[in-house]
């Protein structure tokens, strides 16, 4: 069974209980995007190697905050990179979760890709599921520092040993 990793590292897990793509702060940590960036910069300042990693909305957050904090590497599993595109697959009640217009510059992550960061992204192979569609990778794929990874699923990457290999090669 190859579903465990033995990496001597520190981990920080964040959860967006508001389900608003981490743009309205993190409960108990920050009240808005700027406070979240400040918090993450403070958390990262004592580390030499940092990877921002997330899946789906967490993948969106790893790209966004990776671009703003500059950890060096981002690993995003089937992220949304274009919230307007993703919005069409949401039920009506969830569409209210799209962040306020003052945060519109972050609805499409094309505008925040940072040349000082390496982005490693997994994606679906088609546009059937709008939340995890190939569109989200294609949206940022023309940047030279954005790279597609296989397999798409983090569980599959863990089982085949690719996740541990990636983490070790980027943390050492």
């Amino acid at each position: 069974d190859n579903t465990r990793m033995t990496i001597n590292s520190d981990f920080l897990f964040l959860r967006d209980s508001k389900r608003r793509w981490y743009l309205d702060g993190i409960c108990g940590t920050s009240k808005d995007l700027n406070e979240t960036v400040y918090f993450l910069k403070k958390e990262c300042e004592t580390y030499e190697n940092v990877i921002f990693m997330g899946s789906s909305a967490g993948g969106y957050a790893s790209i966004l905050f990776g671009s703003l904090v500059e950890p060096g590497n981002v690993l995003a599993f089937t992220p949304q990179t274009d919230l307007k595109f993703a919005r069409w697959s949401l039920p009506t009640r969830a569409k209210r979760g799209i962040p306020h217009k003052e945060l519109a510059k972050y609805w499409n992550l094309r505008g925040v890709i940072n040349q000082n960061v390496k982005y490693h992204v997994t994606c679906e192979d088609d546009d059937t599921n709008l939340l995890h569609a190939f569109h989200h990778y294609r949206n940022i794929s023309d940047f030279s520092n954005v790279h597609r990874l296989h397999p798409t699923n983090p569980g599959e990457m863990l089982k085949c040993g690719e996740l541990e290999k990636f983490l070790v090669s980027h943390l050492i």
Side-chain angles (χ1 to χ4, degrees):
D1 183 17
N2 194 20
T3 58
R4 292 180 186 223
M5 295 184 300
T6 54
I7 298 174
N8 185 16
S9 296
D10 293 330
F11 295 89
L12 172 65
F13 294 92
L14 302 174
R15 182 172 173 256
D16 181 14
S17 58
K18 297 174 189 173
R19 302 183 74 162
R20 293 177 56 80
W21 286 274
Y22 297 80
L23 292 170
D24 283 348
I26 298 166
C27 189
T29 301
S30 60
K31 67 177 190 255
D32 60 26
L33 177 99
N34 292 329
E35 281 190 14
T36 303
V37 169
Y38 177 79
F39 167 78
L40 291 171
K41 283 183 177 182
K42 293 298 279 180
E43 287 294 311
C44 295
E45 69 186 8
T46 61
Y47 293 94
E48 187 175 326
N49 298 305
V50 175
I51 298 173
F52 281 22
M53 181 170 50
S55 179
S56 193
Y60 167 88
S62 69
I63 294 172
L64 173 64
F65 293 115
S67 297
L68 301 174
V69 175
E70 296 186 13
N73 284 282
V74 165
L75 176 54
F77 297 99
T78 59
Q80 291 88 47
T81 65
D82 179 354
L83 298 185
K84 281 188 172 184
F85 180 87
R87 182 175 190 255
W88 295 110
S89 70
L90 298 173
T92 302
R93 71 186 189 317
K95 286 181 183 175
R96 291 188 303 259
I98 299 292
H100 305 292
K101 291 200 187 286
E102 63 268 12
L103 296 170
K105 68 180 178 180
Y106 300 117
W107 291 0
N108 191 318
L109 294 180
R110 252 191 97 64
V112 300
I113 295 296
N114 183 327
Q115 289 301 313
N116 297 321
V117 178
K118 293 178 187 166
Y119 301 89
H120 310 274
V121 181
T122 70
C123 64
E124 299 290 336
D125 289 326
D126 59 39
D127 285 340
T128 307
N129 176 344
L130 298 182
L131 275 178
H132 302 119
F134 184 71
H135 167 84
H136 295 291
Y137 172 72
R138 188 174 47 241
N139 184 44
I140 60 173
S141 67
D142 59 330
F143 290 92
S144 62
N145 56 328
V146 174
H147 309 283
R148 187 173 181 194
L149 293 178
H150 295 278
T152 299
N153 182 306
E156 290 301 314
M157 281 187 79
L158 181 62
K159 284 181 189 172
C160 72
E162 287 300 312
L163 184 57
E164 184 171 16
K165 194 183 314 178
F166 175 87
L167 293 174
V168 167
S169 69
H170 290 86
L171 288 174
I172 296 176

